[in-house]
Amino acid sequence: MSAELTGTRGGRLANWNVAIVAITVVALIVAAVTVDNFGTAQNFGFLVLDLLPIMLVALPMTLVIVTGEIDLSVASTLGLSSAVMGYLWNANQPIETIIPLCLLLGAVLGAVNGVFVTVLGLPSLAVTIGTLALYRGLAFVVLGDSAVADFPAAYTDWVTGTIGGTSIPNVLVVIVVLAAVFGVILHATPVGRAVFAVGASEQAARFAGIRPGRLKFWLYVASGAVSGLAGVLWTLRYSSARADNGAGLELAVVAAVLLGGVSIFGGKGALPGVIAGVVLLGALQNALRLSDVSNEALNVVTGVLLIASVLVPNLANRLRRT
């Protein structure tokens, strides 16, 4: 476990993790009681599928933000992965070849971000806003405004299906495995300790023998690869490859990560809180959809949570100092 989870700051982080988990549990119970069909097995499947892309992308995003950087191009990487998937499927390429290529594409797009940030020393916010537009534009170049469907039923059925005769979605396995992998990396390996050290003080990390540039580069590669995977699963869920798939998802991801207790300034965070933040955000959106709330209102909710996740910790810190 990282030293970041010990001491005064670690105690505050642990308290926030407990709080966000408790808030999430309460929100789920209230929604199940007050919103029609929220607590049904069928809606549980829909909720997991809705959470899937946010949860997957939030895992590497957590590590990126803990280092003090950010990646706003994740949704566009998802969209470009989906567009390339549709293009290759139209070109009669086998799906077994397409899926690894989309993952590789995501890793390459992440590496481009990594080069700009770590080699050229450009600010990650500016870089990934630029690649957000670039990758989305490339997606439209590849596929245009058209949609590609008719992907193999064996793959689409697996993504939307459940385990055995239960109501547990198959894709929950993907979430659990990747969450375990990133959780172990962040909280139980030297790589995770280096992530926290770089976020706390990059200069001190260098004195300790850590190479921040190399670490950040590979985190961007991981972020891109997982975003590519999210694009594949998004496409198979809806059996529709489109250039605009995942548009706006980056805001939900960042909101969930910050809501989960990760500091936007780096050096602090824990994956359990992020997972709870994703579930809370997804549950709120799902409950509002069931209540016939418009997509515009859902965007308002996401924006409010994003602002609150930055504002509340800063206000709390100021109050402690007074």
Side-chain angles (χ1 to χ4, degrees):
M1 185 67 68
S2 168
E4 181 59 32
L5 295 180
T6 62
T8 303
R9 294 181 67 193
R12 292 171 186 167
L13 177 58
N15 290 338
W16 178 253
N17 275 273
V18 172
I20 194 65
V21 170
I23 292 169
T24 301
V25 171
V26 170
L28 290 172
I29 293 173
V30 170
V33 172
T34 60
V35 179
D36 291 340
N37 299 318
F38 181 87
T40 63
Q42 182 181 29
N43 188 60
F44 172 72
F46 288 140
L47 177 59
V48 172
L49 288 170
D50 288 342
L51 290 176
L52 176 65
I54 301 175
M55 184 72 78
L56 292 183
V57 177
L59 296 173
M61 180 74 83
T62 298
L63 277 67
V64 170
I65 294 180
V66 169
T67 64
E69 306 293 350
I70 198 166
D71 184 0
L72 295 179
S73 69
V74 287
S76 296
T77 299
L78 183 159
L80 182 51
S81 171
S82 179
V84 168
M85 188 174 179
Y87 176 84
L88 293 175
W89 183 246
N90 264 349
N92 299 316
Q93 296 298 313
I95 194 72
E96 295 79 10
T97 301
I98 293 173
I99 292 176
L101 286 176
C102 288
L103 300 186
L104 178 60
L105 171 65
V108 170
L109 298 177
V112 171
N113 287 334
V115 168
F116 280 123
V117 173
T118 64
V119 177
L120 300 182
L122 301 177
S124 58
L125 180 63
V127 167
T128 57
I129 286 176
T131 52
L132 177 155
L134 173 62
Y135 296 164
R136 185 67 69 181
L138 289 175
F140 279 99
V141 169
V142 169
L143 203 59
D145 293 325
S146 61
V148 177
D150 299 322
F151 291 96
Y155 287 84
T156 57
D157 289 348
W158 186 88
V159 171
T160 58
T162 58
I163 299 174
T166 69
S167 59
I168 302 173
N170 291 323
V171 294
L172 190 59
V173 175
V174 180
I175 293 174
V176 170
V177 169
L178 284 180
V181 169
F182 280 98
V184 169
I185 290 173
L186 182 60
H187 296 301
T189 68
V191 173
R193 290 191 287 275
V195 167
F196 283 109
V198 169
S201 173
E202 192 167 316
Q203 185 175 7
R206 285 198 180 93
F207 286 136
I210 297 170
R211 299 174 63 179
R214 183 171 67 176
L215 176 64
K216 291 178 181 180
F217 173 82
W218 287 111
L219 290 181
Y220 276 109
V221 171
S223 180
V226 174
S227 297
L229 173 62
V232 169
L233 294 175
W234 183 300
T235 302
L236 293 175
R237 177 197 175 179
Y238 295 104
S239 193
S240 177
R242 295 178 55 91
D244 60 353
N245 278 351
L249 187 76
E250 64 280 340
L251 294 181
V253 172
V254 173
V257 171
L258 299 184
L259 192 63
V262 177
S263 172
I264 191 64
F265 304 108
K268 183 173 71 172
L271 214 54
V274 171
I275 293 171
V278 172
V279 174
L280 177 59
L281 179 62
L284 288 175
Q285 292 180 337
N286 180 268
L288 291 172
R289 287 193 186 98
L290 290 175
S291 302
D292 294 325
V293 174
S294 67
N295 287 330
E296 290 74 15
L298 293 179
N299 291 333
V300 171
V301 171
T302 301
V304 168
L305 289 175
L306 181 56
I307 294 171
S309 62
V310 176
L311 183 62
V312 172
N314 279 279
L315 289 177
N317 287 334
R318 291 185 180 183
L319 289 174
R320 290 191 196 100
R321 296 191 192 106
T322 58

